[in-house]
């Protein structure tokens, strides 16, 4: 918001769009210091600034019931601006006078957002715990909303968490920005905010999962990555008896599959299946983490891109694979097993999976979308790297380094790095025999996914106390 506000303010000042004696009403949520800085800049050319962040969202804005946190009204230099602002603000909703100085309105909004963000996080945490414990989440919601543990955010976001769906009423990334404002101000004031700090990390984790532009109720998916149990009551359309009117049987997204006699289930795109989380997406690849609890069965979903699958369940995985057009069959995958699916060149895969293992199912699904601009004609030859799979679109290498081992390698291709067994690796560039110009150390955990561009003379050293293993998947 501050970057956007700065751009707009610069345009207003540099192009003389506003003139002396006019008033700028700042309704965006920005830091108090930023608001004070804007006020000084505009005051220098005779323009009033009213600090007035708002809360309420688009629905309440249309109803004229938003909350406005106003400061600086009494100190506007031009009387006509005071009258005009009061009339306009009263028409928008309920106005609170937060003080005489610009920045106090933003301070009140900041504290409000601390509570809002923490309450959303608490709602996601509570419902995730209930789901993991086997409690009916709708029952849990009904109990809380009629008891002392309720909050406005729990009642509003909790409902959306349970219902699921794709509608975005408030983007999740907004709370990364707002809670970061809280964190910055609290640091400057030396006022501890442990709850807000923890909530900020959860929102950052959600953005890391690719959920930044999703509704903020999708924060539950951060917890679901760990618990393996979804909060949302299944959004799939399942009917018993007959095919819904106007619907058809088929293999496309939105078509129906008769999964059992008289039972019809709608097919969803793989990224819309609740247990598949997009963690990387670009023009060359889309990477999804797949995780769900024992005895859980996914929704019917469709894979339309050629894909690499990396199975990361210690002691192995057993599933029932329900593939459309075939009888359900048992399948077993060893820890670290890598498979390739020809879903684009052959035919799309429409299926459901039931986890028969006593552990959470954990798999990385990497879609090989397009050929990058830089590829290697020959396979990689490097210490500790072993080629384990070759296809027309990709090659997969297994790298394994014991503590203290080091090597230098040039990856002359775009690649996906997936950690099989975590470790601490020191990276640097250049000749190993000389002092490197730049180096860094990175801790890797099982299932970490990193998309990388070609690199020459990359030095790797296992500086941890455990064996480091990963897959280097070359796009070709």
């Amino acid at each position: 918001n501050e970057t956007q506000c700065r751009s707009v303010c610069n345009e207003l000042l540099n192009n003389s769009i506003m003139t002396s004696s006019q008033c700028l009403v700042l309704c965006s949520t920005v830091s108090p210091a930023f608001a004070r800085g804007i006020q000084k800049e505009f005051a220098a050319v005779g323009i009033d600034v009213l600090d007035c962040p708002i809360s309420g969202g688009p629905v309440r804005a249309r109803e004229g019931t938003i909350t406005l946190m106003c400061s600086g009204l009494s100190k506007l230099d031009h009387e006509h601006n005071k009258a005009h602002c009061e009339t306009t603000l009263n028409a928008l909703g309920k106005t609170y006078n937060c003080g005489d100085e610009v920045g106090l309105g933003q301070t009140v909004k900041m504290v409000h957002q601390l509570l809002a963000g923490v309450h959303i996080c608490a709602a996601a945490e509570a419902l995730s715990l209930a789901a993991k414990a086997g409690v009916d989440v709708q029952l849990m919601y009904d109990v809380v909303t009629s008891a002392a543990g309720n909050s406005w955010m729990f009642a509003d976001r909790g409902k959306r968490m349970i219902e699921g769906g794709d509608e975005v009423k408030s983007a999740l990334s907004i709370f990364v920005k707002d809670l970061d404002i809280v964190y910055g101000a609290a640091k400057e004031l030396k006022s501890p905010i442990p709850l807000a700090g923890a909530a900020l990390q959860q929102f950052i984790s959600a953005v890391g999962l690719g959920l930044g532009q999703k509704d903020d109720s999708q924060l539950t998916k951060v917890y679901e990555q760990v618990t393996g149990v979804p909060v949302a009551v299944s959004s799939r359309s399942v009917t018993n008896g007959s095919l819904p009117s106007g619907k058809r049987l088929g293999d496309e997204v939105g078509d129906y599959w008769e999964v059992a006699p008289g039972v019809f289930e709608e097919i969803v795109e793989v990224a819309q299946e609740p247990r598949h989380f997009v963690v990387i997406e670009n023009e060359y690849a889309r990477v999804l983490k797949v995780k769900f609890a024992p005895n859980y069965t996914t929704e019917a979903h469709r894979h339309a891109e050629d894909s690499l699958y990396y199975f990361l369940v210690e002691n192995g995985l057993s599933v029932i694979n329900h593939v459309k057009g075939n009888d359900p069959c048992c399948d077993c995958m060893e820890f670290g097993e890598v498979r390739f699916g020809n879903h684009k060149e052959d035919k799309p895969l429409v299926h459901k999976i039931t986890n028969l293992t006593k552990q959470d199912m954990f798999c990385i699904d990497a879609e090989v979308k397009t050929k990058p601009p830089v590829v290697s004609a020959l396979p990689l030859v490097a210490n500790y790297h072993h080629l384990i799979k070759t296809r027309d679109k990709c090659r997969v290498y297994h790298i394994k380094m014991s503590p203290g081992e080091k090597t230098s390698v040039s990856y002359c291709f775009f690649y996906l790095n997936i950690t099989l067994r975590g470790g601490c690796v020191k990276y640097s560039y250049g000749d190993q025999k000389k002092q490197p110009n730049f180096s860094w150390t990175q801790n890797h955990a099982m299932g970490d996914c990193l998309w990388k561009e070609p690199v020459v003379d990359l030095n790797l050293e296992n500086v941890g106390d455990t064996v480091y293993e990963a897959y280097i998947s070359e796009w070709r």
Side-chain angles (χ1 to χ4, degrees):
N1 268 24
E2 291 187 2
T3 301
Q4 295 168 325
C5 284
R6 167 54 59 196
S7 176
V8 172
C9 289
N10 286 346
E11 185 174 353
L12 293 174
L13 290 171
N14 296 337
N15 298 319
S16 300
I17 295 173
M18 295 186 71
T19 59
S20 178
S21 80
Q22 290 185 321
C23 183
L24 173 71
V25 181
L26 182 59
C27 293
S28 297
T29 300
V30 294
S31 68
F34 182 88
R36 290 191 291 269
I38 292 296
Q39 191 271 334
K40 290 181 181 179
E41 291 181 26
F42 279 78
V45 292
I47 298 174
D48 288 336
V49 172
L50 182 66
D51 182 18
C52 191
I54 60 178
S55 179
V59 174
R60 290 176 59 190
R62 286 191 294 268
E63 296 172 346
T65 60
I66 58 175
T67 299
L68 303 101
M69 291 150 270
C70 176
S71 69
L73 183 63
S74 65
K75 287 196 174 183
L76 296 181
D77 291 332
H78 304 90
E79 289 297 326
H80 64 277
N81 284 335
K82 295 179 182 179
H84 291 161
C85 286
E86 287 179 341
T87 301
T88 301
L89 299 182
N90 288 336
L92 294 175
K94 185 173 179 59
T95 302
Y96 288 89
N97 188 346
C98 302
D100 296 332
E101 302 298 330
V102 167
L104 288 174
Q106 295 296 341
T107 302
V108 172
K109 177 65 184 293
M110 175 186 72
V111 175
H112 172 274
Q113 292 305 93
L114 181 156
L115 289 167
V118 168
H119 286 181
I120 292 174
C121 191
E125 191 166 302
L127 291 175
S128 297
L129 176 61
K132 181 67 174 180
V135 176
D136 184 310
V137 289
Q138 185 61 56
L139 171 66
M140 191 74 247
Y141 176 84
D142 293 341
V143 169
V144 172
T145 52
S146 62
N150 191 32
S151 68
W152 190 95
M153 275 298 190
F154 183 91
D156 183 77
R157 299 309 201 271
K159 181 178 180 182
R160 281 145 59 179
M161 291 171 183
I162 294 170
E163 292 176 347
D166 297 326
E167 183 181 4
V168 180
K169 293 185 177 181
S170 178
L172 188 146
S173 60
I174 290 173
F175 273 97
V176 175
K177 181 262 297 181
D178 287 358
L179 289 176
D180 190 53
I181 290 174
V182 173
Y183 178 83
K187 181 179 179 181
E188 183 178 346
L189 294 167
K190 296 180 175 57
S191 179
I193 51 163
L195 297 181
L200 173 59
Q201 294 305 313
Q202 295 298 81
F203 281 103
I204 290 174
S205 296
V207 171
L209 290 174
L211 301 170
Q213 299 309 308
K214 299 292 187 180
D215 190 77
D216 55 31
S217 61
Q218 296 292 301
L219 187 64
T220 52
K221 294 192 180 297
V222 174
Y223 292 90
E224 291 171 7
Q225 280 278 316
V226 179
T227 67
V229 180
V231 169
V233 176
S234 179
S235 59
R236 61 186 167 183
S237 179
V238 179
T239 61
N240 293 310
S242 61
L243 187 66
S245 176
K247 301 297 182 179
R248 68 173 191 176
L249 296 173
D251 298 328
E252 302 296 322
V253 171
D255 289 345
Y256 277 71
W257 170 14
E258 190 172 9
V259 295
V263 179
F264 300 88
E265 183 172 335
E266 185 178 0
I267 300 168
V268 300
E269 202 274 330
V270 58
Q272 298 303 313
E273 203 287 321
R275 307 316 311 142
H276 291 69
F277 306 93
V278 177
V279 294
I280 296 173
E281 186 165 14
N282 55 49
E283 59 185 304
Y284 313 117
R286 183 173 68 164
V287 182
L288 304 97
K289 284 189 177 182
V290 188
K291 193 171 186 180
F292 50 92
N295 301 315
Y296 180 84
T297 300
T298 66
E299 298 181 7
H301 55 280
R302 183 177 187 266
H303 298 262
E305 296 284 352
D306 294 338
S307 297
L308 283 163
Y309 299 97
Y310 311 79
F311 297 96
L312 304 177
V313 178
E314 297 275 7
N315 303 318
L317 174 68
S318 296
V319 302
I320 297 177
N321 197 358
H322 312 259
V323 178
K324 189 174 183 295
N326 297 278
D327 292 332
C329 64
C330 291
D331 197 1
C332 297
M333 302 84 168
E334 296 180 358
F335 174 69
E337 184 174 341
V338 181
R339 295 183 181 181
F340 185 82
N342 290 297
H343 309 318
K344 187 172 185 178
E345 295 187 354
D346 187 4
K347 63 175 293 187
L349 170 66
V350 178
H351 73 152
K352 303 167 60 172
I353 305 172
T354 301
N355 181 12
L356 299 181
T357 314
K358 293 182 179 180
Q359 304 173 71
D360 287 350
M361 193 277 196
F362 189 18
C363 170
I364 307 296
D365 173 359
E367 296 179 343
V368 186
K369 293 165 61 178
T370 59
K371 181 179 180 179
V374 178
V375 296
S376 176
L378 299 175
L380 172 71
V381 177
N383 290 334
Y384 307 111
H385 291 69
H386 303 282
L387 180 63
I388 63 168
K389 191 172 291 292
T390 300
R391 294 293 185 271
D392 290 341
K393 291 186 174 182
C394 59
R395 298 186 184 106
V396 181
Y397 306 89
H398 177 229
I399 177 173
K400 182 177 181 180
M401 299 177 68
S402 297
E405 291 183 328
K406 65 176 70 175
T407 189
S408 181
V409 60
S410 292
Y411 296 124
C412 301
F413 44 75
F414 286 76
Y415 63 99
L416 178 66
N417 184 319
I418 295 179
T419 303
L420 180 60
R421 296 189 190 276
C424 184
V425 179
K426 181 180 180 181
Y427 297 91
S428 62
Y429 293 116
D431 190 340
Q432 281 186 310
K433 297 178 181 179
K434 299 179 181 179
Q435 183 68 25
N437 294 326
F438 179 70
S439 66
W440 72 99
T441 301
Q442 188 167 351
N443 288 306
H444 298 276
M446 184 177 71
D448 283 353
C449 303
L450 299 169
W451 178 257
K452 296 290 188 178
E453 296 183 353
V455 61
V456 176
D457 294 335
L458 176 67
N459 304 312
L460 297 81
E461 180 181 0
N462 185 351
V463 295
D465 54 7
T466 60
V467 173
Y468 168 68
E469 291 185 67
Y471 289 119
I472 304 296
S473 300
E474 168 192 354
W475 260 233
R476 55 188 294 232

